[in-house]
Amino acid sequence: MKYILSSLACAISMQLSAATSEEVSVKGEVSLGIISNSALSVDELDEVSSQGDSGLEKTAAVTGLWKINDKAKLAASYRYNEQDYQEFDAFDLALHQISVDASYQWRKKDLGLRYDGAKAKLDGETFLTFQQASIYLGTFLQPQTFLRTSAKVKSKKFAVMSNRNADAYGASAELFHFINDGQIMFMLGVSADKETATDAQFNYSGYGANIKLSRKFELFGLAQKAAIGWRFQSKDFQAYSNDDMPSQLESKADEHRNIFQAQWQLEFNKHLALVSKLEYGDYRSQLDSQTYSQTTSSLSIKAQF
């Protein structure tokens, strides 16, 4: 996988260096809103609280796009999200995310290389860093139907719980279908991945599926967008040997997650919008402590430039 990514990077680099710049664009957004959470949790640390809380949510993002020529383009982005709860500071989350995406149109297909990085902080302290490199191929099956497949390698490191440090690889496919000149979009995705951690009890194989339906429309002279979605994820943790009893196998409890989402956006003009989100998650595990339901809602004002 690393050889493939390196080869693709060299190929794209050669194309970029030989190209003449055509267009560079930059756009960004900031938002401020209120958030309510019925059950505070940190999935990566298996921390779940039956207590709920509310607070402020802040987001800032900037994206740059360089259209090098009619075939090659390079995009980069940075996004910051912060959730600041009123009572339970231990669940205050700050997330920094960056991405770089280089793609080239080859035989009417989009061939690309992408890097994603993230750093997460709880109550002001870094607890997780994440990196992912992926290679993807996108093609139009029909004028209104687009298929994108990708292969990924991932790495995550924890600041304190180093036994959870892990490397993983996976694959995914997403099918997009557009109706009414793109005003309606339907997406169906599937994924599979395998993760190997420093501590064998956190090794797992997983698969997932997600569906999303969105529609753009105008009402009372204002542009609006509504979307609903469902995401499913299953993790099958692998059995491992017990050091005290080598003949005995143990495993961490398997997990299944169903998450339902709804979003509505009202645009007052091209720069200002009101955004509301609602999410319900049903988390099932063989461990009672990891079996719970969670409802999260938010309402925010977003400025785009």
Side-chain angles (χ1 to χ4, degrees):
M1 180 65 181
K2 292 182 179 179
Y3 175 78
I4 296 175
L5 293 175
S6 299
S7 300
L8 179 59
C10 291
I12 292 178
S13 177
M14 293 175 62
Q15 291 291 339
L16 299 188
S17 61
T20 302
S21 175
E22 287 192 352
E23 182 181 350
V24 176
S25 61
V26 178
K27 62 180 181 179
E29 65 178 56
V30 293
S31 68
L32 176 64
I34 55 176
I35 184 172
S36 177
N37 194 333
S38 67
L40 299 172
S41 65
V42 183
D43 293 340
E44 294 83 0
L45 300 178
D46 294 336
E47 292 186 6
V48 180
S49 171
S50 60
Q51 299 291 328
D53 202 353
S54 60
L56 293 177
E57 182 172 33
K58 309 166 191 175
T59 300
V62 61
T63 301
L65 175 63
W66 180 18
K67 293 183 179 179
I68 300 163
N69 54 34
D70 60 348
K71 292 183 179 296
K73 61 183 178 180
L74 179 67
S77 68
Y78 168 77
R79 185 176 187 87
Y80 174 76
N81 178 264
E82 178 183 315
Q83 296 177 355
D84 184 7
Y85 289 103
Q86 291 182 343
E87 298 182 30
F88 298 95
D89 294 342
F91 289 91
D92 288 350
L93 178 65
L95 183 63
H96 300 265
Q97 297 172 284
I98 62 171
S99 69
V100 180
D101 190 311
S103 63
Y104 185 77
Q105 192 175 68
W106 174 69
R107 295 183 180 179
K108 297 183 179 180
K109 302 180 188 298
D110 288 326
L111 181 63
L113 179 68
R114 181 181 176 94
Y115 169 81
D116 292 278
K119 177 181 289 187
K121 294 185 176 182
L122 277 176
D123 197 16
E125 298 292 333
T126 300
F127 81 95
L128 173 66
T129 56
F130 173 82
Q131 297 185 81
Q132 174 178 282
S134 58
I135 180 174
Y136 64 86
L137 179 66
T139 183
F140 278 95
L141 304 180
Q142 297 177 354
Q144 298 83 24
T145 306
F146 182 77
L147 175 66
R148 181 175 60 201
T149 57
S150 64
K152 309 169 184 179
V153 291
K154 315 173 191 179
S155 172
K156 62 181 181 181
K157 297 185 182 299
F158 292 84
V160 178
M161 305 177 67
S162 58
N163 62 329
R164 289 176 176 259
N165 292 350
D167 295 317
Y169 58 89
S172 64
E174 293 90 26
L175 182 70
F176 300 85
H177 184 66
F178 301 93
I179 305 174
N180 193 20
D181 294 328
Q183 297 301 302
I184 299 175
M185 187 274 290
F186 173 76
M187 187 275 286
L188 172 64
V190 293
S191 63
D193 55 278
K194 184 176 180 62
E195 183 168 293
T196 303
T198 301
D199 189 335
Q201 68 173 307
F202 298 107
N203 295 351
Y204 74 84
S205 297
Y207 62 92
N210 61 92
I211 296 174
K212 183 177 181 180
L213 176 65
S214 65
R215 180 180 180 183
K216 298 178 182 179
F217 60 98
E218 187 173 302
L219 186 63
F220 304 121
L222 297 175
Q224 303 185 52
K225 182 179 179 180
I228 56 173
W230 165 75
R231 185 171 76 252
F232 172 78
Q233 185 179 31
S234 177
K235 293 183 178 181
D236 179 15
F237 288 89
Q238 305 299 304
Y240 66 97
S241 298
N242 187 313
D243 292 336
D244 297 326
M245 302 179 64
S247 62
Q248 181 179 346
L249 294 180
E250 297 181 358
S251 65
K252 191 175 182 294
D254 295 341
E255 298 177 354
H256 304 282
R257 301 176 179 180
N258 282 283
I259 301 172
F260 302 89
Q261 300 168 316
Q263 179 176 333
W264 171 67
Q265 178 171 305
L266 171 64
E267 297 183 2
F268 300 109
N269 52 49
K270 65 178 182 178
H271 297 297
L272 193 63
L274 178 69
V275 181
S276 63
K277 298 179 182 178
L278 178 64
E279 180 177 290
Y280 172 77
D282 180 55
Y283 301 85
R284 299 288 176 178
S285 170
Q286 293 172 320
L287 298 176
D288 291 340
S289 61
Q290 298 301 310
T291 299
Y292 65 99
S293 61
Q294 180 186 61
T295 301
T296 305
S297 60
S298 65
L299 181 66
S300 60
I301 291 289
K302 179 172 70 172
Q304 306 171 94
F305 55 90

